[in-house]
Amino acid sequence: MAGVLSLVGAAFIAGPASAHKGKGHKAEMRGISAANLINAAAVELGVTPQVLTTAIVNAANSEIDDLLADEDITAEKATKMKAKVASNIVRAIKLSRTRVVAANLGVTTQVLNQEFRDARRALAGARIDKALADGRISAEQATELRARLAAAVLPGYAPRFGCCFRTDGLKHGRFGKKHS
C-alpha cells in the first residue's frame, strides 16, 4: 500500500515546490502541475485561469515592490524577480501573499484557501480514479485512498513551511535577518 500512497500522496501535501528547470520544463507543485492546480482552482473560484494567474502575478509584483521600497532588494533585482514571476507561476505563488491574491480576486482569504483545498482534493481524486482505471490499484485500495483523501487536511492557497526565510537572493528576510 505504501507504493500506492505515493501515487496520490503528493496531492495531499502539494505545496509550492518548483520542479521548473528552465524554459520548456513543466512547473510542478509536488506531483500536481501548477497549470492543473491553477485551472482547477479557477473553476472552484468561478474565474478564468488567466484571471487567477493575473491576480497571483500582481500579488507577487506587489510583494517585490514592497521589498524594493524597504531597500531589501535593488531595482535591478526587482526587475529580474518580476520577469521571473511573470514566466513562472510557481515562483509567483511562492512570493505572493494569500491576502493580496484574495483581495485581487475580490474574495476573502478563507474563500481563496478553501477553493484551493477543494481544487487539490479534486485533482487527487482524479489521480485515484485514473490509477484505478489503469489497473494500478484495486477498488479496495481506491476506496481506502478516497477515505483518506476525504479526511485529509489539505493546504490552501500557498502553504509555507517556515515563517520568514527566503532563498531567492533577498538581502534580508521578513524580520531583518541577513541571509547567508
Side-chain angles (χ1 to χ4, degrees), residues 1 5 12 121 143-153:
M1 188 65 158
L5 291 177
F12 295 160
R121 195 172 310 280
T143 299
E144 181 181 337
L145 287 170
R146 285 188 193 104
R148 292 178 77 175
L149 176 60
V153 177

Side-chain angles (χ1 to χ4, degrees), residues 2-178:
V4 173
L5 291 177
S6 67
L7 177 71
V8 293
F12 295 160
I13 330 174
S18 179
H20 185 78
K21 295 179 176 76
K23 293 180 183 172
H25 288 81
K26 184 163 104 176
E28 290 191 9
M29 303 179 101
R30 292 201 187 157
I32 296 177
S33 78
N36 287 346
L37 181 58
I38 293 297
N39 289 338
V43 168
E44 296 293 335
L45 287 159
V47 299
T48 66
Q50 184 57 46
V51 167
L52 179 54
T53 299
T54 299
I56 293 167
V57 170
N58 287 347
N61 285 336
S62 176
E63 180 69 8
I64 293 166
D65 291 341
D66 289 347
L67 292 167
L68 179 61
D70 291 344
E71 297 181 1
D72 287 336
I73 59 173
T74 66
E76 180 182 345
K77 179 69 176 176
T79 300
K80 288 179 183 177
M81 288 174 73
K82 284 184 177 187
K84 286 181 182 177
V85 300
S87 65
N88 185 328
I89 192 64
V90 174
R91 190 173 293 253
I93 289 170
K94 284 181 177 183
L95 193 55
S96 64
R97 295 210 174 262
T98 304
R99 66 179 163 74
V100 179
V101 175
N104 289 348
L105 292 169
V107 299
T108 65
T109 57
Q110 292 81 6
V111 167
L112 182 66
N113 281 322
Q114 187 58 53
E115 300 304 3
F116 266 82
R117 282 185 201 99
D118 292 347
R120 292 176 199 282
R121 195 172 310 280
L123 290 170
R127 290 179 77 171
I128 293 168
D129 294 343
K130 181 163 178 16
L132 178 60
D134 292 349
R136 291 182 287 157
I137 60 174
S138 68
E140 182 180 312
Q141 290 170 319
T143 299
E144 181 181 337
L145 287 170
R146 285 188 193 104
R148 292 178 77 175
L149 176 60
V153 177
L154 301 178
Y157 166 68
R160 288 184 172 81
F161 303 102
C163 150
C164 52
F165 303 103
R166 304 222 180 197
T167 58
D168 56 1
L170 300 181
K171 184 170 79 175
H172 298 283
R174 194 135 313 277
F175 297 105
K177 304 242 181 201
K178 253 199 184 284

